Amino acid sequence: MIYKTIVFLPLIGALITGLLGRFIGHRVSEYITCTFMVVVAVFSWIVFLDVSFGNSSQLIQIEILPWIVSGTLDVGWTLRIDALTAVMLVVVNTVSCLVHIYSIGYMHNDPHRSRFFAYLSLFTFAMLMLVTSDNLLQMFFGWEGVGLASYLLIGFWYRKPSANAAAMKAFIVNRVGDFGFALGIFALFMVTGSIEFDGIFQSAPSLVGETFTFLSWQVDALTAICLLLFMGAMGKSAQFLLHTWLPDAMEGPTPVSALIHAATMVTAGVFMVARLSPIFEFSPDALTVVTFIGAITAFFAATVGLVQNDIKRVIAYSTCSQLGYMFVALGLGAYGAAIFHLFTHAFFKALLFLGAGSVIHAMSDEQDMRHMGGLYKMIPITYAMMIIGTLALTGFPLTAGFFSKDAIIESAFAANSTFAMEAFYILVFAAFLTSFYSWRLIFMTFHGRSRATPDVLSHVHESPKVMLVPLFILALGALVAGYIFKDYFFGHHYAHFWGASLFTSESNHIVHEFHNVPLWVKLSPFIAMLTGLGLAWLFYILSPATPVIVAKIFEPIYLFLYNKWYFDELYDVLFVRPAKWLGNVLWKIGDQYLIDGFINGIATRTLAVTGRLKTMQTGYVYHYAFVMMIGLTALITYFVVTRGVGQ
């Protein structure tokens, strides 16, 4: 019963507030959804702790109802509860609960906040359906559900054109990845005859070496399937090439950024690959692609984050970069390290997003760091929370990020797989960049002279307790979650904790080998972190004029990074403009000329001619009799003439 409560209570809250919000009022809507989420979060921790310190090898499958039966396809709606599910339940429901509570203060003046809380709970339910799925169709249902809910949340302020555009962009880009995901599901059903995880996992070893013909090429079936599935993960988790929606999604309210882009929706791709580890583990080529894309994403997003000025966009690119770390770990076969970083990242990234929201709230909705500065005395509690989040993100010793991120970097060095060593150096350099832009955010926002207008400064104030309490809880997780659970996620208790949730082949010894890396490898992330901190201190505290000078000297590079490697412009040329051109051709030639002008024109002219016949419909019997006589006379004349000619 506890599992059904965890999954369906957010849906009940969404239905109540969504359908009855205008009748029960905003305050009651807030209390209902937040109370439900507190219950769900507490139950999730009970399940997680039972898995951590109890019998994790047990798989629990709870059938809700039969779902789809068609031919050989027989899919039930079943909850799959194991260690991986328990971790995701804690991540999703803890962050969602705190975001719900935080939103009471942040959205206090919004006239549509009942609808906002309904969307939050709907998103949470969709994400829970995704992580508790026992088959790929059920996962796809949750997958598309979070896509829909994210569209509604990003575009919540629908009167704002940029918010509508960002919501559409997120929805469309994710459809590209979802198309690959759907093809991967179809392919798996074709080769295994099943889309249930147990059936797929049992068939996976027999697929090794199997091929199929595509355009006269022999393609490895397992590699093709894994790459198609990974395409879906690239879209949801904003990996390189399908990343462009993530920074624009900051147009939504800040609690949305924390919920969607810190710990839940963007981690769906990481969860999916980890869940399908019994498939990916048998495809080294696919794992190499995952490693490569993850490393490039970590580097790319970190370089762009260096020069962004919107406080939320800096954190958004940080999210994108950290997701790259997780995919590198997945590609190396270090699945536990990937989920460990997902777990710790949820705390400190949600803390940073909500902390940024507290700053924006204090600064009268100002988000540009160039208009901030000197805030540490005015909002000291928010400042302290942001410092804790930054320390964890940059991997300061004994914080949560220190244990999880270092585990990934050390795994990259220890792995023997293709591109592993290159990934190690890229991740260390990305750690340096992460430290630089993270402390740049702190220094530009909280230190130095204030660059805000006097009117804004006169209204700067600390956030209310309803917004600060969630920050305190997340800060606690950002400090201690890594130390407490490191041995369970990717340490001595790895086998006991994960059981059969994560699959590693007999040749995969990464869990043991990463402990034996040289000392300089263990120290490299720490040195990178200190170097980034020192450089940020030099640029933004000791010599604030230096960044301007450097930007002018290296203006082409600065503009290249500031414009996000010109991906939006490139995609506009390659996809948007051709699509518009094709649309105009189909509209003007296909629709206006062929359909409206030719086909409809013939119909119009025919109607005009035949329409004149309606004048003959008078309703008088003698008129109809007269017409019949004329017709009869014409027929008799025709037969007489033709018969006479024949004779």
Side-chain angles (χ1 to χ4, degrees):
M1 187 64 183
I2 187 173
Y3 303 111
K4 295 180 181 179
T5 302
I6 291 173
V7 173
F8 291 105
L9 207 54
L11 175 62
I12 296 172
L15 292 175
I16 293 174
T17 54
L19 299 176
L20 304 176
R22 66 174 60 189
F23 302 106
I24 63 179
H26 298 310
R27 183 61 65 187
V28 176
S29 297
E30 294 170 350
Y31 287 159
I32 289 175
T33 52
C34 290
T35 301
F36 285 1
M37 285 311 307
V38 169
V39 173
V40 167
V42 171
F43 283 1
S44 297
W45 275 99
I46 292 173
V47 171
F48 174 72
L49 294 177
D50 180 63
V51 168
S52 300
F53 304 105
N55 184 13
S56 64
S57 60
Q58 182 181 4
L59 170 64
I60 302 175
Q61 292 171 297
I62 305 171
E63 183 175 351
I64 304 300
L65 48 83
W67 194 12
I68 296 176
V69 178
S70 177
T72 59
L73 179 65
D74 187 354
V75 180
W77 196 337
T78 305
L79 305 183
R80 185 184 185 91
I81 309 298
D82 57 11
L84 182 58
T85 305
V87 171
M88 295 304 297
L89 290 178
V90 163
V91 168
V92 172
N93 290 324
T94 301
V95 174
S96 181
C97 173
L98 297 176
V99 166
H100 274 73
I101 296 171
Y102 178 94
S103 298
I104 294 176
Y106 192 87
M107 303 294 289
H108 177 70
N109 295 320
D110 195 287
H112 306 291
R113 57 185 183 276
S114 292
R115 178 164 56 87
F116 180 77
F117 279 86
Y119 289 168
L120 287 182
S121 293
L122 178 64
F123 175 89
T124 305
F125 166 72
M127 192 67 195
L128 292 175
M129 287 308 308
L130 193 159
V131 301
T132 59
S133 57
D134 192 45
N135 58 74
L136 284 170
L137 185 60
Q138 189 177 333
M139 178 181 282
F140 195 74
F141 170 79
W143 195 271
E144 295 302 303
V146 295
L148 170 63
S150 67
Y151 169 80
L152 297 173
L153 287 167
I154 294 168
F156 178 75
W157 288 323
Y158 58 89
R159 297 183 184 274
K160 188 178 177 184
S162 57
N164 281 326
M168 287 294 295
K169 187 175 183 179
F171 196 79
I172 293 170
V173 172
N174 272 276
R175 296 291 73 72
V176 176
D178 294 351
F179 178 68
F181 187 23
L183 290 178
I185 296 174
F186 300 155
L188 269 176
F189 181 70
M190 181 182 70
V191 299
T192 66
S194 174
I195 58 172
E196 294 183 350
F197 291 139
D198 290 338
I200 293 170
F201 297 161
Q202 291 175 6
S203 302
S206 64
L207 298 179
V208 176
E210 292 291 325
T211 62
F212 64 89
T213 303
F214 179 74
L215 297 178
S216 75
W217 293 330
Q218 289 298 117
V219 180
D220 184 80
L222 202 55
T223 299
I225 290 171
C226 289
L227 291 179
L228 287 171
L229 296 171
F230 177 60
M231 186 176 172
M234 289 174 64
K236 273 292 181 287
S237 296
Q239 292 301 282
F240 188 69
L241 300 179
L242 294 180
H243 65 277
T244 52
W245 67 270
L246 184 65
D248 289 1
M250 297 301 104
E251 292 291 340
T254 299
V256 173
S257 303
L259 179 64
I260 295 179
H261 309 115
T264 50
M265 175 176 161
V266 293
T267 60
V270 178
F271 166 79
M272 184 260 282
V273 175
R275 171 64 79 201
L276 298 177
S277 57
I279 302 175
F280 279 84
E281 191 73 353
F282 290 106
S283 178
D285 292 339
L287 289 178
T288 299
V289 173
V290 174
T291 304
F292 175 79
I293 293 295
I296 294 300
T297 303
F299 171 75
F300 155 76
T303 61
V304 177
L306 297 173
V307 296
Q308 299 302 305
N309 296 312
D310 185 306
I311 187 171
K312 288 172 63 177
R313 284 180 179 263
V314 174
I315 303 174
Y317 277 107
S318 171
T319 299
C320 190
S321 182
Q322 296 306 305
L323 289 166
Y325 276 83
M326 300 175 203
F327 277 104
V328 168
L330 293 171
L332 299 172
Y335 305 106
I339 302 301
F340 188 24
H341 197 48
L342 184 157
F343 179 76
T344 60
H345 177 266
F347 290 103
F348 58 74
K349 190 53 62 68
L351 175 61
L352 286 171
F353 266 119
L354 295 184
S358 184
V359 172
I360 295 168
H361 179 77
M363 292 292 292
S364 304
D365 297 328
E366 178 60 66
Q367 296 184 198
D368 195 326
M369 297 186 297
R370 293 171 296 185
H371 300 154
M372 299 181 186
L375 294 178
Y376 76 96
K377 293 182 180 179
M378 305 177 192
I379 46 175
I381 299 177
T382 299
Y383 171 65
M385 297 299 100
M386 291 290 285
I387 287 291
I388 292 174
T390 301
L391 289 172
L393 171 62
T394 57
F396 190 82
L398 300 183
T399 60
F402 168 77
F403 294 101
S404 59
K405 188 161 71 173
D406 284 20
I408 295 175
I409 294 176
E410 292 167 18
S411 297
F413 183 88
N416 297 319
S417 57
T418 306
F419 200 74
M421 190 55 64
E422 292 83 351
F424 165 74
Y425 289 110
I426 291 174
L427 294 185
V428 171
F429 186 64
F432 158 72
L433 298 178
T434 300
S435 180
F436 177 83
Y437 67 66
S438 298
W439 290 107
R440 171 180 177 265
L441 183 151
I442 294 294
F443 297 148
M444 288 185 68
T445 303
F446 295 100
H447 291 270
R449 63 177 182 84
S450 176
R451 298 174 295 278
T453 62
D455 182 59
V456 171
L457 284 176
S458 65
H459 293 90
V460 174
H461 60 284
E462 191 63 87
S463 298
K465 292 181 180 179
V466 72
M467 293 173 62
L468 293 179
V469 170
L471 297 183
F472 297 152
I473 297 174
L474 290 169
L476 179 64
L479 289 174
V480 304
Y483 180 79
I484 293 175
F485 296 106
K486 58 182 175 64
D487 287 335
Y488 293 91
F489 279 90
F490 203 60
H492 302 299
H493 302 299
Y494 178 90
H496 169 75
F497 179 78
W498 290 115
S501 301
L502 299 178
F503 175 79
T504 52
S505 62
E506 296 180 357
S507 60
N508 186 344
H509 305 293
I510 192 71
V511 179
H512 305 288
E513 292 174 351
F514 97 102
H515 291 288
N516 302 319
V517 298
L519 179 61
W520 70 270
V521 173
K522 295 179 180 290
L523 292 176
S524 58
F526 177 70
I527 295 172
M529 183 270 294
L530 287 182
T531 306
L533 169 60
L535 190 60
W537 179 272
L538 172 64
F539 273 34
Y540 295 98
I541 298 296
L542 296 182
S543 180
T546 302
V548 178
I549 297 172
V550 172
K552 288 182 178 179
I553 295 174
F554 300 99
E555 186 173 9
I557 297 176
Y558 171 79
L559 292 176
F560 179 71
L561 299 180
Y562 183 77
N563 289 285
K564 300 161 288 188
W565 290 28
Y566 292 102
F567 267 103
D568 286 330
E569 292 78 5
L570 178 63
Y571 286 173
D572 184 63
V573 172
L574 293 179
F575 303 114
V576 178
R577 293 183 187 178
K580 287 183 177 179
W581 175 85
L582 179 60
N584 283 326
V585 169
L586 295 176
W587 167 41
K588 293 182 178 179
I589 298 178
D591 188 27
Q592 289 186 338
Y593 178 74
L594 290 177
I595 297 176
D596 293 342
F598 185 69
I599 300 175
N600 289 353
I602 293 175
T604 302
R605 290 180 178 85
T606 303
L607 182 61
V609 173
T610 57
R612 296 175 183 175
L613 298 176
K614 69 181 180 181
T615 58
M616 301 179 64
Q617 307 299 319
T618 63
Y620 296 108
V621 174
Y622 64 87
H623 284 174
Y624 298 146
F626 178 70
V627 172
M628 292 172 64
M629 290 178 62
I630 293 174
L632 183 60
T633 302
L635 286 173
I636 293 172
T637 303
Y638 171 77
F639 283 114
V640 169
V641 172
T642 55
R643 184 180 294 274
V645 172
Q647 291 176 349

